[in-house]
Amino acid sequence: MRAGLLVLLALTGAAGTPLAQSPPPTAAPQLPDLGPPAAVPDGAPPHLLRIDRAGLRTHAYWLADDARQGRHTASKGQLAAAKYVADHFQKLGLKPLGDKKTFVQSYPLRRTYLESATMLTLGTSKIDRDFAVLPAEDDCKIALTGKLVFCGNGSASQVPQGLLGKLPFVVLPPSRGGGAGADLQAVQRFADVAQQLAMQGATVGIVCLVGDSTSLANALNYRGLLPDHAQLRYGQGGSKLQTKVPLFVLSPAHSKTLFAHVGLTLDDAGLPAGKPANDKATGKLSLVVKSDDNGQGTNVVGWLEGTGKKSEALVFSAHHDHVGRRLDGDVFNGADDNASGTAGLLELAEAFAQGGPRPERSLVFLSVSGEELGLWGSDWYASHPTWPLERIVADINIDMIGRPGDKDGSTQMQITPSHEHAKFSSLVREAVGLGRHFGITFTSGDQYYERSDHYNFAKHGVPVVFFCDGEHPDYHQVTDTPDRLDYVRMESIARLAAWSGWLAANSKSRPQELGKQPNW
Ligand SMILES: [Zn+2]
């Protein structure tokens, strides 16, 4: 699910890269026994048996592996994930529904990215990875060898005058608190530092992170450039970067290298204890930022033909992209967000392809990218549909379905549009009713109505239902890892989504909007 507060810029990595071969799965870790899949509830279609916890876990672990590098849109890891999904669709016998009779639908992106020449040299140390750049312009080239000037924490009183031709560096202490609010404040702190340095004549700045700089590192993930992690823009969206001068931001490990180079000692709190012992120390910074329109996002889409009203289709959707990797090398694995939903989509495709008879209507399986950056892939799909929108009867979207349920086996789930929402429909009412077969109770997820891919279908008048865990402490953190998912619960949610889709794809009439209702 995309972040709510940050105004995100478009992200991309290697644009225009053809889909690479899926890397072989890494050696299976020793995982706990999950037990056999649950029995299928009375009255449910037989397909549900094919949706099982072990299969979900296999997919989730592959997608959320460190090797995918957080599946940032247009990065190598995202392309590998798209390839993984497309390979499965093909193997299952789905028909391609992307561009030119392939499973892949591409959409254009503007990208701003770092050239590989970008690095900082300090004596014999070359820092060419685990850094981030906050650029001031879409295109810039800086090659500067200069004296390293200590500027404290970058506040007005600590930044000396006369920084033209120098390499000023500041030490940003960790920010307190967490969550999206802290990330937003962190973005502002970088902008403030750049402003102070620019006022004293600097053309570039170096920022050292110390200690636990989680908020600062997370902010850079949204606003910064990392090697193989570009800033992307889609359509007319996205804003320009605001920093006055480009900032070259070092991970805590690289910051230590710089401190040693200039002879700066830290106190017990990890902050500078005084001034650098060596005020003659120099560094060499090469910074090359480029922009072009060669970025490319990818969706994967396949379908299964219905038996009766086959020109109408029900869409199952889930995004497979996530937010990438941090400058310190830590990966945002995005296990719940949204390896869980993608695993569900793959199991749903398998269930309907091989687990029983086809429904009346056709089924479309849509795996999008660009979701975390602003729902781009689904926006592109809805505005360039490969199945006529007026013949899509509903979109069932799953995004974040893997968090632990309660100890007693029951579990809560969020769903939108709820009965208090004007777009409440027979589709949602039916899904909520099915919950009783799985011990699932639903609460309103209306705060997420505009925050995942179903919204782009809803905007065009297609009835939608969205299943989601809601935000939790690991949401958009490096701790969203596959060992923290509850695969038994995922099995239930994915089966519920399948059943719900089965009913909608078979019912005589299309799902109907009901408007606000007093109850579910
Ligand atoms: Zn998300």
Side-chain angles (χ1 to χ4, degrees):
M1 183 166 63
R2 84 181 162 93
L5 282 175
L6 290 173
V7 178
L8 302 177
L9 294 168
L11 319 169
T12 165
T17 313
L19 293 185
Q21 286 296 312
S22 307
T26 40
Q30 280 300 318
L31 298 172
D33 182 24
L34 291 171
V40 168
D42 285 346
H47 311 75
L48 268 58
L49 197 57
R50 293 294 288 263
I51 298 171
D52 74 283
R53 53 196 74 180
L56 289 162
R57 184 168 70 177
T58 301
H59 293 314
Y61 264 83
W62 193 92
L63 292 159
D65 193 284
D66 277 355
R68 306 290 93 73
Q69 293 284 292
R71 308 186 304 280
H72 181 246
T73 293
S75 70
K76 288 179 193 139
Q78 182 260 314
L79 291 170
K83 172 88 168 103
Y84 180 84
V85 173
D87 283 352
H88 273 83
F89 283 1
Q90 181 156 36
K91 220 176 344 177
L92 292 168
L94 270 63
K95 298 181 184 187
L97 196 59
D99 302 331
K100 295 178 188 154
K101 297 186 176 153
T102 69
F103 286 102
V104 176
Q105 181 189 43
S106 301
Y107 54 93
L109 295 171
R110 178 153 183 84
R111 60 177 188 163
T112 301
Y113 60 98
L114 292 175
E115 286 274 276
S116 60
T118 301
M119 68 181 74
L120 174 65
T121 309
L122 301 169
T124 55
S125 305
K126 262 194 173 66
I127 296 173
D128 59 2
R129 50 171 297 166
D130 297 349
F131 65 83
V133 170
L134 282 161
E137 308 279 349
D138 281 355
D139 285 277
C140 90
K141 188 167 182 172
I142 290 175
L144 178 60
T145 300
K147 205 163 86 158
L148 289 155
V149 180
F150 179 54
C151 298
N153 63 10
S155 62
S157 61
Q158 300 197 18
V159 176
Q161 295 179 324
L163 293 177
L164 182 65
K166 310 256 172 71
L167 283 176
F169 72 97
V170 307
V171 181
L172 276 192
S175 40
R176 282 180 290 267
D183 292 353
L184 211 57
Q185 279 174 15
V187 169
Q188 191 56 47
R189 288 176 76 192
F190 286 115
D192 291 346
V193 166
Q195 168 86 18
Q196 293 304 329
L197 297 179
M199 280 168 66
Q200 304 308 334
T203 53
V204 65
I206 296 169
V207 176
C208 301
L209 301 186
V210 291
D212 177 15
S213 297
T214 301
S215 295
L216 294 162
N218 286 356
L220 288 167
N221 187 62
Y222 289 114
R223 310 290 292 214
L225 307 174
L226 282 70
D228 188 38
H229 180 128
Q231 289 284 355
L232 303 174
R233 273 178 243 160
Y234 169 79
Q236 300 305 308
S239 54
K240 284 239 170 191
L241 295 162
Q242 301 292 319
T243 53
K244 278 277 186 191
V245 296
L247 297 178
F248 191 95
V249 187
L250 301 177
S251 67
H254 286 323
S255 296
K256 283 185 187 158
T257 305
L258 189 147
F259 299 155
H261 184 65
V262 299
L264 182 70
T265 52
L266 304 183
D267 63 17
D268 291 344
L271 297 174
K275 301 226 155 160
N278 177 8
D279 62 5
K280 301 267 188 306
T282 61
K284 179 182 169 194
L285 183 69
S286 304
L287 182 57
V288 186
V289 177
K290 288 197 170 165
S291 294
D292 61 34
D293 291 314
N294 299 331
Q296 199 175 62
T298 43
N299 296 329
V300 181
V301 54
W303 69 292
L304 291 170
E305 191 168 23
T307 54
K309 302 184 181 95
K310 53 178 78 171
S311 69
E312 292 184 348
L314 174 110
V315 176
F316 289 109
S317 60
H319 77 88
H320 64 257
D321 65 300
H322 193 50
V323 299
R325 159 178 64 80
R326 248 174 20 194
L327 83 164
D328 56 8
D330 268 1
V331 174
F332 293 96
N333 299 95
D336 188 33
D337 186 7
N338 186 28
S340 69
T342 305
L345 187 75
L346 290 168
E347 289 286 290
L348 282 158
E350 181 188 325
F352 286 110
Q354 302 179 343
R358 297 278 159 79
E360 285 276 308
R361 296 187 176 85
S362 298
L363 299 173
V364 171
F365 298 87
L366 176 64
S367 176
V368 298
S369 66
E371 192 273 351
E372 302 287 8
L373 303 175
L375 317 184
W376 297 345
S378 54
D379 181 72
W380 183 264
Y381 187 82
S383 47
H384 302 79
T386 56
W387 195 282
L389 279 187
E390 65 278 10
R391 286 194 266 124
I392 294 177
V393 301
D395 171 45
I396 296 179
N397 187 39
I398 47 178
D399 183 0
M400 300 171 61
I401 58 165
R403 294 302 290 186
D406 299 331
K407 282 200 185 71
D408 64 1
S410 70
T411 188
Q412 277 218 346
M413 194 73 197
Q414 302 206 21
I415 196 166
T416 186
S418 81
H419 69 85
E420 291 168 319
H421 196 286
K423 295 291 174 188
F424 182 60
S425 68
S426 58
L427 181 73
V428 182
R429 176 163 277 174
E430 209 154 48
V432 170
L434 292 176
R436 72 179 185 279
H437 296 287
F438 302 96
I440 297 169
T441 49
F442 286 100
T443 58
S444 167
D446 288 344
Q447 68 273 34
Y448 305 126
Y449 182 70
E450 297 184 10
R451 282 179 52 185
S452 187
D453 298 301
H454 56 278
Y455 181 59
N456 282 318
F457 287 96
K459 275 198 314 201
H460 291 273
V462 176
V464 299
V465 60
F466 177 42
F467 298 105
C468 182
D469 293 327
E471 284 162 88
H472 48 73
D474 298 321
Y475 171 74
H476 282 209
Q477 302 295 320
V478 293
T479 46
D480 182 10
T481 50
D483 55 301
R484 297 190 179 204
L485 302 190
D486 179 343
Y487 295 96
V488 176
R489 177 174 186 264
M490 272 172 73
E491 179 183 279
S492 295
I493 309 285
R495 286 178 170 191
L496 193 157
W499 195 347
S500 181
W502 170 259
L503 294 175
N506 275 320
S507 76
K508 232 184 179 146
S509 52
R510 298 164 62 138
Q512 296 301 313
E513 270 185 26
L514 302 173
K516 281 189 196 189
Q517 296 290 321
N519 52 51
W520 295 104

